[in-house]
């Protein structure tokens, strides 16, 4: 059972995903700044995992506060929240977790809690965010698993697994694990997902651990596999879903969605409600992170491209809602028109 | 001016493309077996370059023959042709060059040439194949360049440049060079082209040498760039074109073609007639090479995926003719219906 981020003895433990699959090394992070660095440097990645980590980071920042003034505590809290918010721009779960912690802080303050009590309340809420995330995934696995037919090969892009979330199930890999748990015979095709190779390094590693059959391909090969009838469904995670269903996810997701449509293969997005941003009306409003070009020009110290080459490194793209057959959340399965079906999920 | 394979002083000189862009090292190959190894191990790659190299390899094998019997020479010749034919299955230029050398041999034999004369004739024909290949590219550059509009950004996949051909122009990069030579303001987006990174290593290197503006992206990013209006045309090479226009080219080409269609961007294939195989009526008949999975699981000695992972490594895919706006050859520009337009090119 994979849980990539944990609160242990008043510190945040993170599995260093940059070293997988070659090494399983845990880092102990003792300050909010260290957690922020961990998110920015991709020790942990994946939208729900970033949300959980940010909540723990804020809790850690507050726990480390040594003053006695509530005003100073609030100032420190705001600073820590701001630090977390600057780590990565696209995953909305980050901002969702920050906003929730802010509401919890304000409620505790309004309830006249002491500094010591506020610290305990924020730590407890970060743990609750983590537990709720795992429970959401369990439900996504259940609802999503029902959409996958027996004897299917499912293609997935990047890693939307336990490693990308609070743990245990994952979102896209949750759907696959759900189908397997329902007794279906499922195999997986994993895109390697350049430049960061989350598919090759993380998805392949997770599925091997679970004995779910997995075949690794380059990102260039997904079209060929679909064209040859080797893919029965595509499932991906999401970093931010706009109100109309447009979905920002790892770069290359749009490409896989276009290919799935061209080959009449259903394309599913799996994500908790914390990934849905009703404030963004369409995908055009989602900020797309650009990352260091060294991710493309080098692998460790090996140079892959000539000196002085110009490089673009967009980390995400947006898949328009008309390419998405369904969005699977912990509240069930949303279908077009998404503006209505997604909004309804928040009404319960 | 890049010429990746040369006949110098009775030996074949090959630029070792596996080491580019970090090192420019030339190998001197002194036997047909060494040339065959060079093709198989991708010292040289690209369909037209493979054809030229095979012709030189056959000439070298015959040149090295030390016997005095014409029957023995023919046996050696057949053996060398068979060796070349086993190197790589998809690029039809290989078989085209072998067949042409066979016809030249038979004609020389029929004309009662001596062993010494036959050697000279075969060497001369290999050189002629090389010269004709460069001339074909010059014409492809001219005809193709006319299709590219001024102030365009052209996306290309893999390396269909001078390095992939007999040299100087290239096929897809020939079209780009042709447009530049016609005074147009052209920039290029180069897909890195996993697993072998011909785009990052070779296309980027070639275009930097020519001062043609080039931006490197991962293969996952081509869809995003098209979606954002940053691509005005796509040009690729080909490893084999069936009689109906279906085109086998580097894995990922089909994906780029589907994305171009979805974004209303013209998709062009550039290749000499030696790449067109009228014996294959459709793309279904084109054999697709599978290569060593280590190309995907490792970069040099760095392991990118977990031990024991199952991997598929198809080196090519087939783009159906309905996704292709035009096929550019040395005889001009063929458009749908391709069965007719391609056949007409051989009638002149």
């Amino acid at each position: 059972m994979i849980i990539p981020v944990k609160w242990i003895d008043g510190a945040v433990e993170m599995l260093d995903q940059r070293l997988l699959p070659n090494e399983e090394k845990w880092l102990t992070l003792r300050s909010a700044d260290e957690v922020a660095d961990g998110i920015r440097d991709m020790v942990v990645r994946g939208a729900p995992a970033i949300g959980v980590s940010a909540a723990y980071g804020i809790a850690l920042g507050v726990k480390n506060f040594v003053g006695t003034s509530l005003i100073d505590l609030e100032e420190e809290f705001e600073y820590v929240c701001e630090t977390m918010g600057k780590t990565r721009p696209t995953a909305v779960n980050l901002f969702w977790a920050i906003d929730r912690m802010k509401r919890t802080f304000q409620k505790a303050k309004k309830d006249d809690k002491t500094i010591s009590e506020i610290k305990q309340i924020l730590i407890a809420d970060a743990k609750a965010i983590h537990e709720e995330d795992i429970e959401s995934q369990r439900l996504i696995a259940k609802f999503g698993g029902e959409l996958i037919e027996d004897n299917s090969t499912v293609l997935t892009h990047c890693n939307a697994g336990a490693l990308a979330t609070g743990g245990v199930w994952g979102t896209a890999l949750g759907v696959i694990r759900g189908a397997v748990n329902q007794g279906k015979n499922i195999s997986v095709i994993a895109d390697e997902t350049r430049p960061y190779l989350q598919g090759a390094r993380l998805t392949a590693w997770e599925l091997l651990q679970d004995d779910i059959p997995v075949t690794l391909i380059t990102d260039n090969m997904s079209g060929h596999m679909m064209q040859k009838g080797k893919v029965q469904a595509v499932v991906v995670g999401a970093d931010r879903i706009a109100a109309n269903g447009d979905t920002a996810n790892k770069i290359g997701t749009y490409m896989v969605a276009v290919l799935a449509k061209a080959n009449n293969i259903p394309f599913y997005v799996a994500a908790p409600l914390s990934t849905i941003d009703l404030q963004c009306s369409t995908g055009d409003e989602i900020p797309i992170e650009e990352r260091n070009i060294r991710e493309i020009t080098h692998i460790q110290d090996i140079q892959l491209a000539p000196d002085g080459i110009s490089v673009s490194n967009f980390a995400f793209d947006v898949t328009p809602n008309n390419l998405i057959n369904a969005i699977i959340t912990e509240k069930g399965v949303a279908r077009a028109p998404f503006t209505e079906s997604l909004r309804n999920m928040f009404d319960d």
Side-chain angles (χ1 to χ4, degrees), chain A:
Chain A
M1 195 164 76
I2 301 163
I3 298 183
V5 56
K6 298 173 184 172
W7 179 272
I8 294 179
D9 295 337
V12 176
E13 304 261 328
M14 270 188 195
L15 178 60
D16 191 344
Q17 299 190 28
R18 300 169 302 182
L19 304 178
L20 289 174
N22 299 315
E23 194 181 339
E24 291 178 38
K25 182 179 170 185
W26 286 83
L27 303 181
T28 302
L29 310 178
R30 303 193 180 280
S31 72
D33 282 340
E34 285 181 13
V35 172
D37 289 345
I39 295 170
R40 189 183 304 102
D41 299 344
M42 294 173 71
V43 173
V44 71
R45 23 62 54 203
I50 289 171
V52 170
S53 300
Y56 278 145
I58 292 167
L60 195 54
V62 171
K63 174 187 156 291
N64 289 345
F65 174 73
V66 289
T68 53
S69 143
L70 186 60
I71 292 171
D72 289 352
L73 175 66
E74 186 159 10
E75 199 174 296
E76 176 66 16
F77 175 81
E78 290 296 337
Y79 168 78
V80 167
C81 288
E82 201 184 314
T83 304
M84 290 299 155
K86 285 179 181 162
T87 51
R88 297 194 66 194
T90 301
V92 77
N93 310 60
L94 174 68
F95 305 101
W96 174 88
I98 294 169
D99 285 348
R100 171 153 159 182
M101 294 294 274
K102 281 185 177 175
R103 285 196 306 275
T104 301
F105 184 94
Q106 289 307 326
K107 180 169 186 308
K109 204 177 95 174
K110 199 174 145 211
D111 292 349
D112 293 325
K113 300 294 181 187
T114 66
I115 288 178
S116 170
E117 283 168 338
I118 291 177
K119 288 183 178 184
Q120 290 312 314
I121 287 168
L122 289 174
I123 292 169
D125 199 41
K127 287 181 180 173
I129 286 174
H130 192 178
E131 282 158 21
E132 290 164 23
D133 182 70
I134 294 173
E135 173 62 8
S136 293
Q137 294 167 53
R138 188 183 68 78
L139 292 165
I140 288 169
K142 176 177 170 290
F143 296 132
E146 289 164 4
L147 297 180
I148 307 298
E149 290 182 16
D150 197 11
N151 300 311
S152 288
T153 296
V154 179
L155 184 138
T156 189
H157 189 69
C158 194
N159 173 268
L163 289 167
T165 61
V168 186
W169 300 87
T171 50
L173 296 194
V175 170
I176 289 163
R177 288 184 169 112
V180 169
N181 279 5
Q182 289 160 17
K184 293 170 185 166
N185 174 33
I186 304 294
S187 60
V188 177
I189 292 176
D191 293 348
E192 65 174 2
T193 317
R194 280 279 290 156
Y196 215 68
L197 297 166
Q198 292 94 334
R201 296 190 303 105
L202 308 180
T203 296
W205 180 80
E206 274 198 34
L207 295 173
L208 280 178
Q209 302 245 324
D210 279 11
D211 287 324
I212 296 173
V214 54
T215 299
L216 176 66
I217 61 171
T218 63
D219 305 303
N220 277 325
M221 221 178 292
S222 57
H224 180 72
M225 299 307 251
M226 292 187 202
Q227 197 185 23
K228 291 292 174 187
K230 293 179 183 175
V231 178
Q232 280 70 52
V234 177
V235 187
V236 299
D239 289 81
R240 190 183 302 212
I241 301 172
N244 72 343
D246 291 352
T247 295
N249 190 47
K250 180 54 52 196
I251 190 77
T253 301
Y254 163 67
M255 179 181 94
V256 172
V258 169
L259 288 163
K261 185 79 152 191
N263 288 281
N264 295 310
I265 296 166
F267 180 90
Y268 302 120
V269 173
L273 291 192
S274 54
T275 306
I276 299 171
D277 184 1
L278 296 181
Q279 306 304 312
C280 277
S281 54
T282 76
D284 289 340
E285 298 167 30
I286 301 175
I288 299 295
E289 179 181 7
E290 288 189 74
R291 294 187 59 84
N292 196 306
I293 68 168
R294 200 184 154 93
E295 288 183 356
I296 295 178
T297 58
H298 290 72
I299 291 218
Q300 294 180 22
D301 289 333
I302 298 174
Q303 186 172 338
L304 307 177
D307 284 327
I309 185 74
S310 162
V311 181
S312 285
N313 186 12
F314 294 98
F316 303 94
D317 59 24
V318 174
T319 299
N321 58 15
N322 65 315
L323 300 177
I324 300 170
N325 291 69
I327 297 173
I328 304 154
T329 78
E330 67 271 34
K331 290 288 185 71
V333 175
R335 296 191 183 265
F338 289 107
T339 303
E340 201 177 305
S341 59
L342 292 179
R343 198 180 45 226
N344 287 343
M345 292 203 164
F346 287 89
D347 288 345
D348 297 353

